Amino acid sequence: MPTPVSLVLVPGLGLDERSSRRLRELMPGVVVRLPGMGRPEAVPSLDGLAATLRAGLPDGPVVLVGHSQGCQAVARAARDPRVIGVVLCGPTTDPRMRPLRVLAWRWLRTAVAEPWWQVPLVLAQWWHTGPRAMTALWRTAAPERIEEDLAGLPVPLVVLRGGRDALCPADWARRVTAAAPRGQLVELPGAAHMTPQTHPEQLARVVADYWPSVRPRTSA
């Protein structure tokens, strides 16, 4: 009988466990909140974020799923010996996005592509984390080069991109995927940036296809 694999999720900027609730209804998972990502506290360096993430990992084999800016902490922690696979949903480390005007334009293009039913949920999570921690996280993580953390990664990597995600454009998603020796790119047509929240069924299917030991929940 195969060893059970734990699914560990890291939310995006300002988000918390509510962003993956629908996914965890389909597939058991553990959420590790980090400063600026569900925890309204001082944000350490990226190495500090990765250390906090590693400290929150369960024993046994783990598939790490990062969303948005959480992808950077996941990539930095991905060489932990417990990690057997990595999923990056909409990684937001494109260096072209560092100027504020570019970031604002891409954010606006992505926001209008998102379903509006999720706005209250996102705002509630941002309110909890707070603008100070969110700003500090962006300033800490944005300059980091995720490609360097993924170079030589020994485990499979899946980059999941929404087809309407201007925060993670197609050429950037391909570049991130190519950084890892075992990288695969999956695109969800019609989706934008908030894929764990808006497209949980498709994300669960991707995880189950690549790592069958992470089994979806079954109806009673």
Side-chain angles (χ1 to χ4, degrees):
M1 187 172 182
T3 303
V5 176
S6 299
L7 190 67
V8 177
L9 303 119
V10 179
L13 178 69
L15 303 176
D16 57 33
E17 64 275 7
R18 287 171 283 187
S19 64
S20 61
R21 177 186 59 80
R22 296 176 65 210
L23 174 63
R24 287 179 287 113
E25 289 174 351
L26 300 169
M27 177 171 280
V30 176
V31 178
V32 177
R33 296 187 301 160
L34 299 173
M37 293 171 266
R39 288 169 56 177
E41 56 195 63
V43 177
S45 66
L46 186 57
D47 284 335
L49 291 169
T52 301
L53 172 55
R54 287 193 295 268
L57 295 180
D59 294 331
V62 168
V63 173
L64 277 178
V65 179
H67 173 229
S68 191
Q69 201 142 42
C71 293
Q72 286 156 284
V74 164
R76 183 63 57 93
R79 296 176 193 271
D80 186 283
R82 290 166 288 185
V83 177
I84 65 165
V86 175
V87 181
L88 303 180
C89 302
T92 53
T93 50
D94 185 348
R96 297 170 297 185
M97 213 163 55
R98 288 172 194 158
L100 183 58
R101 60 180 178 78
V102 178
L103 172 63
W105 173 238
R106 289 196 185 182
W107 182 88
L108 181 61
R109 287 172 55 199
T110 303
V112 299
E114 296 281 8
W116 287 99
W117 59 260
Q118 65 174 330
V119 170
L121 178 59
V122 172
L123 292 178
Q125 294 173 80
W126 287 354
W127 177 263
H128 173 77
T129 301
R132 179 176 297 181
M134 292 171 63
T135 301
L137 175 62
W138 176 261
R139 289 175 175 169
T140 295
E144 299 286 347
R145 295 179 59 87
I146 197 171
E147 313 98 297
E148 295 178 358
D149 286 323
L150 296 174
L153 184 70
V155 300
L157 165 73
V158 176
V159 176
L160 184 77
R161 175 187 179 266
R164 304 179 70 189
D165 188 357
L167 292 171
C168 179
D171 62 340
W172 171 246
R174 289 193 295 268
R175 180 174 165 184
V176 174
T177 304
R182 301 170 67 183
Q184 296 288 330
L185 177 61
V186 176
E187 187 162 300
L188 299 183
H193 188 62
M194 298 293 293
T195 49
Q197 190 163 282
T198 60
H199 291 71
E201 295 88 356
Q202 292 91 327
L203 177 52
R205 192 175 306 122
V206 167
V207 172
D209 285 346
Y210 281 88
W211 297 278
S213 295
V214 186
R215 300 192 181 279
R217 297 187 190 273
T218 56
S219 302

